[in-house]
Amino acid sequence: MFTKKIILRAAGAGLTAVISLAAQPLWAQTSSESKEIQELKREVAELKQEVNSLKNRTAPLSVVPGEGKTKTEVVYDGKTYVEKSVPLEKSAADKWKLSTSITEMELYGDIRLRYQYNGGRTDNTPVASPGAGVAGTHDWQERERERYRLRLGLRGTLMDDWFFGLRLETSNNARSTNVTFGDDTASSNPGGGGPFAKGSDIVYIGQAYAGYKGFPDTTLTAGRMANPLLSTRMVWDPDINPEGLAEQWKHTWAIGGGAPPPPVYSKDGKNVAAPPPSEPWLKITAFANFAQFVYDDSNPENPLGARATTTANTGNSQLVPNTDAFLCAWQVGAKFEFPHIVYFQLAPTLYNYTGNGDTFNIHYVGGDPRLTNADSLATNQTGINSLLVFDAPMEVGWKAWGLPMRIFGDFATNFEGDERATAAGQPGQGSQRYAYTAGLSVGQLKKQNDWQLDVWYQHSEQYALDPNLIDDDWFNAQLNMHGIGATAAYNFSAAVNLTLNYGYAWWYNHNLGTGGNVGSLAIATNPTSQYQWFTADLNVKF
């Protein structure tokens, strides 16, 4: 527009000058002057025509509705200056549009590269005829793998106290998000065959949930969520994202401390920042976490024709359950914290199961050392019959020499251990109902150059816990094992760290097998006499 105004003003000034000259007295004109006046009139006419043409050329272009914001640019085509309307370039913030109901949103995730070793040994158990894949006496099975995992999540808050979350992750295994390099190669397959196939490199929905925080100190969540319960690896694999409902309540009381001191003024009357109020000498945080997880959906609840039957449990024909199985959790606890000195936390929990579903209704056996390895593995390893588990994770934390330290532990018992042992054909082994762990942690991973070291002992008996939930890395996802574990980690930055894990376990009660979900076993032995596990992980968080 600025160029347009300059051109028009110049043309107008020239026109005024010409008209002024043309208005001189006729008596002063000579014949030569008359010719000049005629020439000037001709030039004036041409100037008027040029001005009109310029007005038409510099008229702003109409903006097509719906094409977004525009700006005006002046372009020189070698003869004239022309103004053009062009789209306005969007900023980075303008390119990402969010629903007006979203008040906050976070993109997060992590990538892990892992080297993993698993090794396990059989004992003096019966052996089948020698052959490939047949376990012998004191026979070792070993496996080395290079693996990776990817988890990518999006979580946010909505108006009126609602929130949501979605996380994608590799692997369809409930207890692992790892993908093994090269495990999907084949000489030929639908993807073409050869090395570097992508048959295992599939992304699944690991979490999908929504919730509400509109009630004081209360969080309600529904969907596929991170475990809402305080727990340890002894009872829950941290990779499991249970499905169902969760209700959480948490409130903190402060004891001691004082009100903020009155304002302080300097000599010139200006307000000087007052010191902060004194901290309370004790904080008490009480919490309650309740959950109703869908453990197994029975399909169908009302079948066509007669219901299916099984003889697996008693040898007699029984109807296969046609009701869904639910896992219910009831946790209440408290944390007592003396700021900058020490804290103590205890979270007693009761787990009970309602219904058996159509997948886990066969009675748990957990293997038998009087059978060959193959036959022992073939006994039921997943039944959830006679499980009423009490669990009490706890920890005590403090600082020494500037380092965070904590003692952590867990104790669990199955109140229905006698019934579970009897159903497994071991009526005299109901005392094998206990599990416990205890360890020490030094250091904490928060910023660059931080480090952490954890060491612990774990003991899990055959009828103590749900074999489908226990961690599948430490101790080969099996019960009736005890052993030690150690983790050392170092932060290269706040987002990148190296973690080394090592575990060694032994068979505990030699009258029983080492029960565990066969689909989760890295080493396919039962009973497992000895077991070793080592990983080196490079973790990148974002």
Side-chain angles (χ1 to χ4, degrees):
M1 291 303 293
F2 176 75
T3 305
K4 172 184 174 181
K5 290 180 180 179
I6 293 298
I7 295 174
L8 291 177
R9 287 179 180 175
L15 181 60
T16 303
V18 171
I19 295 173
S20 175
L21 290 173
Q24 296 295 326
L26 292 176
W27 56 268
Q29 294 179 5
T30 62
S31 60
S32 61
E33 290 174 341
S34 178
K35 291 180 180 180
E36 291 177 358
I37 290 172
Q38 294 300 323
E39 183 67 22
L40 286 173
K41 288 181 178 181
R42 185 183 61 78
E43 291 179 358
V44 167
E46 291 178 355
L47 275 173
K48 287 182 178 180
Q49 185 178 0
E50 183 68 23
V51 168
N52 292 332
S53 175
L54 186 60
K55 286 181 179 180
N56 293 332
R57 290 184 182 182
T58 58
L61 299 176
S62 59
V63 179
V64 179
E67 291 188 354
K69 297 180 180 180
T70 61
K71 64 180 180 180
T72 301
E73 287 186 355
V74 178
V75 179
Y76 181 66
D77 62 4
K79 295 181 179 179
T80 57
Y81 289 93
V82 180
E83 288 186 351
K84 296 180 64 177
S85 182
V86 297
L88 183 63
E89 185 176 340
K90 293 183 178 181
S91 66
D94 293 332
K95 294 177 182 178
W96 181 259
K97 292 185 178 181
L98 301 178
S99 168
T100 55
S101 62
I102 297 176
T103 59
E104 185 178 79
M105 193 159 63
E106 178 188 8
L107 180 68
Y108 68 97
D110 69 273
I111 299 173
R112 183 177 70 192
L113 302 176
R114 163 176 283 189
Y115 164 79
Q116 180 171 333
Y117 167 85
N118 301 81
R121 196 189 80 167
T122 63
D123 200 73
N124 295 320
T125 52
V127 296
S129 300
V134 177
T137 301
H138 299 298
D139 197 355
W140 272 93
Q141 183 181 19
E142 296 178 286
R143 190 175 186 190
E144 295 183 68
R145 289 173 284 181
E146 294 75 33
R147 318 183 81 183
Y148 80 92
R149 82 171 180 193
L150 169 65
R151 300 187 297 189
L152 181 62
L154 188 68
R155 55 192 170 208
T157 57
L158 304 171
M159 296 173 62
D160 302 321
D161 302 308
W162 292 87
F163 64 91
F164 68 93
L166 173 68
R167 193 177 80 182
L168 305 178
E169 57 189 38
T170 46
S171 179
N172 63 351
N173 189 332
R175 289 193 274 187
S176 174
T177 51
N178 294 310
V179 175
T180 299
F181 291 126
D183 71 338
D184 48 7
T185 57
S187 58
S188 64
N189 58 34
F196 316 122
K198 301 177 184 178
S200 299
D201 305 83
I202 302 173
V203 175
Y204 298 86
I205 295 178
Q207 295 180 7
Y209 60 87
Y212 181 67
K213 291 186 176 182
F215 303 113
D217 304 321
T218 302
T219 301
L220 307 176
T221 310
R224 186 177 184 91
M225 67 193 81
N227 194 338
L229 306 165
L230 292 178
S231 62
T232 65
R233 289 177 177 270
M234 183 183 78
V235 178
W236 277 94
D237 190 304
D239 287 319
I240 292 178
N241 298 301
E243 301 164 320
L245 304 174
E247 305 82 36
Q248 297 171 277
W249 175 85
K250 185 177 182 180
H251 186 79
T252 300
W253 295 271
I255 300 176
V264 179
Y265 295 91
S266 62
K267 292 181 180 180
D268 59 3
K270 292 183 178 180
N271 192 347
V272 179
S278 59
E279 278 194 287
W281 65 273
L282 174 63
K283 292 180 180 179
I284 301 177
T285 301
F287 54 87
N289 301 315
F290 306 131
Q292 305 81 43
F293 300 137
V294 182
Y295 198 96
D296 180 28
D297 176 71
S298 183
N299 181 23
E301 281 78 4
N302 184 14
L304 295 172
R307 280 173 55 188
T309 60
T310 179
T311 59
N313 290 328
T314 64
N316 299 319
S317 180
Q318 292 180 319
L319 290 173
V320 173
N322 63 346
T323 56
D324 297 342
F326 291 88
L327 168 59
C328 300
W330 316 88
Q331 182 176 76
V332 293
K335 180 179 181 180
F336 300 87
E337 180 180 5
F338 297 89
H340 310 296
I341 302 175
V342 67
Y343 73 85
F344 170 73
Q345 179 174 272
L346 180 66
T349 312
L350 183 68
Y351 297 97
N352 73 290
Y353 296 74
T354 63
N356 287 318
D358 55 5
T359 305
F360 303 98
N361 60 85
I362 305 301
H363 290 171
Y364 172 79
V365 176
D368 190 332
R370 291 169 286 275
L371 301 175
T372 65
N373 184 66
D375 290 341
S376 181
L377 287 170
T379 64
N380 185 273
Q381 311 283 335
T382 61
I384 58 173
N385 59 292
S386 304
L387 282 173
L388 180 62
V389 178
F390 172 79
D391 178 40
M394 57 78 62
E395 65 179 61
V396 179
W398 71 96
K399 274 193 174 183
W401 305 286
L403 288 174
M405 296 187 177
R406 66 186 178 99
I407 293 174
F408 57 91
D410 197 358
F411 171 80
T413 183
N414 177 18
F415 291 138
E416 298 182 353
D418 287 330
E419 294 87 342
R420 191 163 173 84
T422 300
Q426 301 287 347
Q429 297 291 339
S431 62
Q432 301 297 299
R433 65 177 70 199
Y434 301 105
Y436 49 86
T437 184
L440 173 67
S441 176
V442 180
Q444 193 174 35
L445 299 177
K446 282 190 173 181
K447 59 184 185 302
Q448 186 178 23
N449 297 325
D450 280 355
W451 57 273
Q452 183 172 330
L453 176 64
D454 297 351
V455 292
W456 69 93
Y457 170 80
Q458 179 174 307
H459 173 103
S460 299
E461 295 173 0
Q462 180 78 322
Y463 306 115
L465 301 169
D466 185 338
N468 304 305
L469 301 182
I470 60 176
D471 187 88
D472 71 334
D473 289 326
W474 304 94
F475 309 165
N476 201 33
Q478 289 181 310
L479 296 168
N480 195 24
M481 301 285 287
H482 67 129
I484 58 172
T487 294
Y490 176 78
N491 264 8
F492 296 115
S493 72
V496 181
N497 73 63
L498 175 67
T499 301
L500 305 178
N501 299 297
Y502 177 75
Y504 201 106
W506 299 266
W507 185 16
Y508 175 61
N509 187 327
H510 287 215
N511 294 312
L512 304 172
T514 51
N517 190 323
V518 176
S520 298
L521 302 184
I523 301 300
T525 56
N526 189 330
T528 300
S529 175
Q530 298 178 39
Y531 174 76
Q532 290 190 73
W533 179 69
F534 172 77
T535 65
D537 298 338
L538 180 65
N539 303 286
V540 180
K541 298 180 180 180
F542 52 89

